[in-house]
Structure formats: C-alpha cells, structure tokens
Amino acid sequence: MTMQNGRHGFTIVEYIPHIVTHTLHSPMKLATLKDGTRDGQLIVVSRDLQTAAVADAIVATLQRALDDWTFYAPQLRDLYDAVNQGRARNTFAFDANDCMAPLPRAFQWADASSYVNHVELVRRARGAEMPPEFWTDPLMYQGGSDDFIGPRDDIVCASEEFGIDFEAEVAVMTGDVPMGVKPEHALRSVRLVTLVNDVSLRNLIPAELAKGFGFFQSKPATAFAPVAVTPDELGEHWREGRVHRPMIVHWNGKKVGQPDAGVDMVFHFGQLIAHAAKTRNLRAGTIVGSGTVSNKDAKRGYCCIAEKRCLEMIESGAPQTGFMKYGDTVKIDMFDEAGKSIFGSIEQAVAPLAQ
C-alpha cells in the first residue's frame, strides 16, 4: 500500500476495501439539499423531520461521508443530537420539496427481488413454473445510478403506452464491502436505510428480457425518499437485516398497499449484499434494493400495479387494472409506531417528456 502526506498524515493510493468489524452507534437522519450542483449539500434532519442543519462544517456530501464513515459519522451524530435538542446553530425548516435523492448519484445500484411471493405471482399469472432455486438464490439486476431523482420529482415518460408502474421498496447504502463477504458480515456494512420508487415500464420489459441480456430501457430514473436513516435510528424495527414496518402506498390519493416490509422478505439485506459481492468488491455508496415489497396476504394490498394485475389474471384470466397515466400520482411512505413518517414521503406525478 503506497501512502503520501494528506489530511490524516497520509493519502491511500492503492486502496484495499474493508468493513467495520464493530458496531458504530450513530442514530441519525440525513438528506441532501438542492444547491445547483450534481451532488447537493448534505444536511442533518431532526427525528421529527421538522428542522435541519447544513453539515458543510463537517462534510459537504453524503458520498464523502460514506467514503470515511468512521471519521464523519460521530461528528454527524453530534450535530443530529444538537438539532434534536435545539442546540444547533443556523437550523431551518426542513422541506422535502427542496431535497434531491439522499445520494443523487451512486457508484452502484443493485436491485433484488427478495420478496419471492411477488416473483411467484408474476410467473403464476403467465402460467410459468417457479424454479426452485429462486427460493435459495436471489434475483438481482444492476440499474442506472448516474441520475437518481428526488422525492418530489416527476416520473417523466415519453409514452403512456410503455406501461408506467411504481414499485415501492426498501434500500440500503453500504460502506466498502470485500469480495466473498459472508451474509452475517455483510450486514455490518449497512450505513443507511431509505425508501425507493423503482419505476418500471412494464410493456417494454418482455421484449428486453427476451433478448436474454436484462433490463435497460425498461427501468427509468429511480426516485428516493428525502431522508436516509441509520439502522440504529430504526431501533427495534431494524432486525435480522430487515425493516419491520408497513410500506404505505397511495395511488391517486387512494391507499392501495400496506404490506409489512419485514414479512415474507426471503433474503435479508446481508444476503443480498453478499450476493452482489460474490465476485467483486462493492465500494462505499453502493445502494442495494429489496425489490417490490410484497406479502402473501393479499389483503395487505400491493406496492406495484403489476402485482394487482397478476392477481386479477389468476382470479379471472385477464387483468382489469391499467397502468399509470399522465397526471397520476403515487405516494410512498413508512411510519413509526407513533404514526410519524420515518423517511419522509416520496410523492410523484407522471408527466410527459417535454418536446
């Protein structure tokens, strides 16, 4: 390892990734403010999502914080405590409309399908058998991570005929993860948790998958909740590598889903991270998604329209529910036991591509 003088007395030129082997207790909530740049300005947000403080005296961006988490996290936690206790200077009212995605662009976005019930429904609706290995080996694709969108940004689409669908998911952001990591060790790399709307263009998917080379055009920009929180902030709701709270989804103002994200998640986040790291290192700032939250209990509703259509096909032989149209809205949120939003909501409208 070659080293030169730098902020800590040296700069690592050849870097070997590692994971923290002890628990770093840092309950806090972080967001990224729009400031006219690509990566925005990191802010610390109060537990009740009412006030915030700019973190530039500590670190300017979330990616930089993730790059050196053990150094920056304790300082950010102290600022978080000060904000919650009313001791922080220059606080301001937090407004999700002013937020970018917490990590506006990431080195990697890997999305899984860990709620196998969702996969089983899709395959059953089209009369396909469920391969037994789907219960033991996660499905995962690598999505576009260069242009994430914020919690209030429109879902822009060139045509309604593409089959516009929302997908409510949980996602984690990691520190550095070494190749070949074991699932139980991979969980230690989780730095932050947030919510995702991983939009799908359902009518483009079949032709793309038929080529045998995965998604690309079918997966437009992914939207994120305004706030990312540490696992410690979730307390007892974060256990066994899962978030144990209902995912609340409204479509055009009507509640359509409230499945529990901790139920029926076959592969926990440690397993998903280990799957992604089987043959490669994962760099700090990698985001891993859970896939569409889905419960076997259909009474809990749905987190994507495709699942509703699959149930209709199974029951009556044909789907009855259409996909999203221009002007449609979707709201995705998750609440604590006191009814307070944990991450802030994703609230988006579908809009046509400007000509």
Side-chain angles (χ1 to χ4, degrees):
M1 182 181 295
T2 304
M3 294 182 288
Q4 302 171 346
N5 290 333
R7 178 172 66 83
H8 296 302
F10 60 87
T11 298
I12 299 176
V13 176
E14 181 184 353
Y15 185 71
I16 301 175
H18 64 284
I19 58 175
V20 179
T21 56
H22 64 281
T23 301
L24 182 65
H25 294 289
S26 299
M28 56 186 163
K29 298 189 175 188
L30 305 174
T32 294
L33 204 62
K34 296 176 182 177
D35 68 350
T37 68
R38 291 182 186 272
D39 298 310
Q41 171 62 60
L42 181 63
I43 60 174
V44 173
V45 184
S46 63
R47 179 167 286 113
D48 61 7
L49 306 184
Q50 296 300 303
T51 59
V54 173
D56 59 352
I58 301 171
V59 60
T61 68
L62 181 54
Q63 180 59 55
R64 185 69 190 91
L66 291 167
D67 284 337
D68 201 353
W69 188 252
T70 54
F71 179 77
Y72 290 118
Q75 300 174 67
L76 292 169
R77 179 196 59 212
D78 289 345
L79 179 57
Y80 181 63
D81 290 342
V83 169
N84 283 311
Q85 296 166 13
R87 297 185 291 103
R89 296 180 179 180
N90 301 319
T91 58
F92 56 93
F94 176 70
D95 188 346
N97 291 291
D98 297 329
C99 289
M100 306 171 77
L103 199 59
R105 52 179 177 169
F107 289 112
Q108 187 158 222
W109 161 231
D111 197 23
S113 192
S114 59
Y115 298 88
V116 183
N117 175 66
H118 172 76
V119 182
E120 188 174 38
L121 282 174
V122 172
R123 296 185 71 87
R124 182 149 50 108
R126 66 171 190 256
E129 291 293 325
M130 180 77 164
E133 62 269 21
F134 280 19
W135 293 97
T136 57
D137 190 32
L139 293 171
M140 183 174 286
Y141 81 93
Q142 189 164 6
S145 60
D146 58 323
D147 188 31
F148 291 142
I149 56 178
R152 301 294 188 269
D153 293 336
D154 287 342
I155 300 170
V156 177
C157 192
S159 172
E160 292 179 333
E161 300 305 312
F162 290 167
I164 307 163
D165 196 359
F166 52 82
E167 289 193 62
E169 307 184 10
V170 179
V172 299
M173 302 176 190
T174 76
D176 289 295
V177 182
M179 186 191 325
V181 67
K182 301 298 182 184
E184 60 272 21
H185 295 157
L187 273 178
R188 301 173 188 169
S189 71
V190 174
R191 300 288 180 260
L192 296 163
V193 184
T194 192
L195 305 183
V196 173
N197 182 15
D198 183 46
V199 178
S200 287
L201 304 180
R202 299 293 184 184
N203 293 339
L204 300 185
I205 289 176
E208 281 208 289
L209 292 185
K211 296 178 181 179
F213 217 53
F215 299 118
F216 198 89
Q217 294 176 336
S218 309
K219 304 299 291 187
T222 303
F224 286 76
V227 172
V229 313
T230 56
D232 287 331
E233 181 65 35
L234 292 170
E236 64 178 12
H237 303 313
W238 173 260
R239 60 184 186 274
E240 300 155 349
R242 301 170 177 87
V243 177
H244 293 264
R245 293 302 298 167
M247 181 78 80
I248 310 300
V249 180
H250 288 81
W251 178 17
N252 291 333
K254 178 184 177 181
K255 184 190 286 188
V256 296
Q258 53 182 2
D260 193 306
V263 175
D264 301 322
M265 186 180 182
V266 175
F267 305 103
H268 63 66
F269 277 109
Q271 292 170 300
L272 298 181
I273 294 167
H275 179 83
K278 181 176 181 178
T279 59
R280 66 177 81 175
N281 299 316
L282 308 181
R283 297 301 189 184
T286 290
I287 304 176
V288 177
S290 67
T292 306
V293 176
S294 177
N295 286 172
K296 292 179 181 179
D297 182 0
K299 294 179 181 179
R300 303 291 294 180
Y302 54 91
C303 283
C304 71
I305 301 169
E307 186 162 312
K308 172 66 171 175
R309 287 166 58 90
C310 286
L311 289 169
E312 292 168 347
M313 290 176 68
I314 293 168
E315 292 172 2
S316 64
Q320 300 160 11
T321 303
F323 292 114
M324 300 182 83
K325 303 296 184 182
Y326 293 144
D328 277 12
T329 60
V330 61
K331 182 177 181 180
I332 297 168
D333 211 338
M334 185 176 284
F335 301 91
D336 63 20
E337 65 279 1
K340 302 292 185 181
S341 180
I342 299 171
F343 306 94
S345 60
I346 299 172
E347 299 181 36
Q348 297 181 276
V350 179
L353 180 65
Q355 299 298 320

